[in-house]
Amino acid sequence: EADAFHTVFPSLPGYGFSGKPKKTGWGVHEIAKAWDQLMLRIGYEKYYAQGGDWGSAVTTSIGLQNKGSCQAIHLNMPNAGATEEAKRNPTDADKIAFKGASFYQQWDSGYSKQQSTRPQTLGYGLSDSPIGQCAWILEKFYQWTDCNGHPENVITRDELLDNITLYWLSNSGASSARLYWESFGEFNGGEVKTPTGVSIYPKEIFKASERWLKKRYTNLKYYNVLDSGGHFAALEKPELYIQELRNFFGSL
């Protein structure tokens, strides 16, 4: 009972159950303002925020805005640039981070370049073919999960199809891609003073080292490198993920 807490799962504008923005401007900073306002309107004067992927960017922005209600943030895909010292004298953790970033740029970033520059063009294809929508998403589960070569080793086929179906039935191929067009360059900027916890999973896309993060998240209170799990941490390793949240937020 002492570890229990209410959870609120907002759906990003243009994704899943949310409506599609009818005007530009719905980037991570605007979404962060909306999430803070949402929590206050439903009765939470104080709360913690958590996120990975775009959730990490939005949660970081909540910490950046530091309006007073969010008491701490936890991230499972934090982003921070390398320090000059890391470039000159990289540790083993720095080398892993550099290697991951290099692989992403060379082999893994095509989807983000397309969505951040021509989201509408992509949207026509994704709204026309359920097989296209399936392949677009499934390839990421293959690449980004800790699955030993097959995503169904860690996520059930029904769960994978549920995810794909949410995009297909809501016709959100283009509207979800627009968040990249709005905000893809805003993952790294700004100093975050809000208390921060970080969990790093071995198959995460970006694995920033602790000293990179301390430069940006200046109130980093928790940093843990795990031995299993990937980008979709809550879906792949739910019990481990929940324990990480309890370990950090419980310490506060």
Side-chain angles (χ1 to χ4, degrees):
E1 196 172 300
D3 290 328
F5 45 84
H6 293 164
T7 53
V8 178
F9 296 91
S11 177
L12 290 166
Y15 288 71
F17 298 108
S18 287
K20 300 176 176 65
K22 299 186 186 305
K23 60 182 181 180
T24 59
W26 276 99
V28 293
H29 300 309
E30 191 66 25
I31 296 171
K33 293 177 187 176
W35 281 187
D36 185 71
Q37 189 175 82
L38 168 69
M39 294 302 290
L40 295 175
R41 287 190 180 186
I42 62 177
Y44 295 94
E45 294 181 2
K46 296 181 178 180
Y47 64 90
Y48 297 135
Q50 199 286 332
D53 199 270
W54 278 114
S56 174
V58 173
T59 299
T60 293
S61 185
I62 290 173
L64 274 169
Q65 293 171 18
N66 200 17
K67 293 178 177 292
S69 296
C70 181
Q71 303 299 290
I73 62 174
H74 180 274
L75 310 169
N76 57 284
M77 196 192 81
N79 278 273
T83 64
E84 291 304 315
E85 176 62 22
K87 294 175 184 177
R88 290 193 301 268
N89 300 299
T91 63
D92 288 343
D94 294 330
K95 291 175 183 177
I96 290 171
F98 284 131
K99 183 178 179 181
S102 176
F103 179 87
Y104 179 81
Q105 288 301 325
Q106 291 185 47
W107 301 105
D108 214 11
S109 60
Y111 78 100
S112 60
K113 297 287 175 58
Q114 176 68 29
Q115 291 185 129
S116 61
T117 57
R118 298 291 186 271
Q120 196 68 17
T121 305
L122 173 68
Y124 290 119
L126 296 182
S127 64
D128 185 65
S129 168
I131 299 300
Q133 180 71 82
C134 177
W136 182 256
I137 293 174
L138 196 60
E139 182 246 333
K140 295 308 171 196
F141 279 102
Y142 158 76
Q143 184 63 48
W144 294 345
T145 55
D146 190 6
C147 67
N148 195 29
H150 200 302
E152 286 182 44
N153 288 332
V154 292
I155 302 173
T156 69
R157 183 171 296 187
D158 277 347
E159 288 172 324
L160 293 167
L161 290 173
D162 285 347
N163 187 295
I164 294 161
T165 301
L166 276 175
Y167 283 85
W168 178 252
L169 295 182
S170 61
N171 192 23
S172 57
S175 58
S176 60
R178 285 191 202 111
L179 183 52
Y180 290 75
W181 184 82
E182 293 275 7
S183 288
F184 193 66
E186 296 179 6
F187 267 95
N188 280 331
E191 178 185 339
V192 182
K193 299 179 181 179
T194 303
T196 302
V198 166
S199 300
I200 302 292
Y201 293 82
K203 282 286 288 182
E204 184 54 86
I205 306 171
F206 304 111
K207 296 186 283 290
S209 75
E210 186 173 5
R211 62 175 174 171
W212 299 15
L213 295 173
K214 283 182 175 178
K215 181 182 176 182
R216 184 183 188 199
Y217 300 90
T218 55
N219 198 359
L220 185 67
K221 291 183 173 294
Y222 180 86
Y223 180 87
N224 190 27
V225 179
L226 298 142
D227 59 8
S228 65
H231 181 67
F232 304 96
L235 192 57
E236 292 178 61
K237 298 278 187 176
E239 293 181 359
L240 183 60
Y241 170 85
I242 290 168
Q243 191 58 53
E244 283 296 288
L245 300 193
R246 285 177 171 161
N247 288 346
F248 173 54
F249 291 135
S251 71
L252 305 176

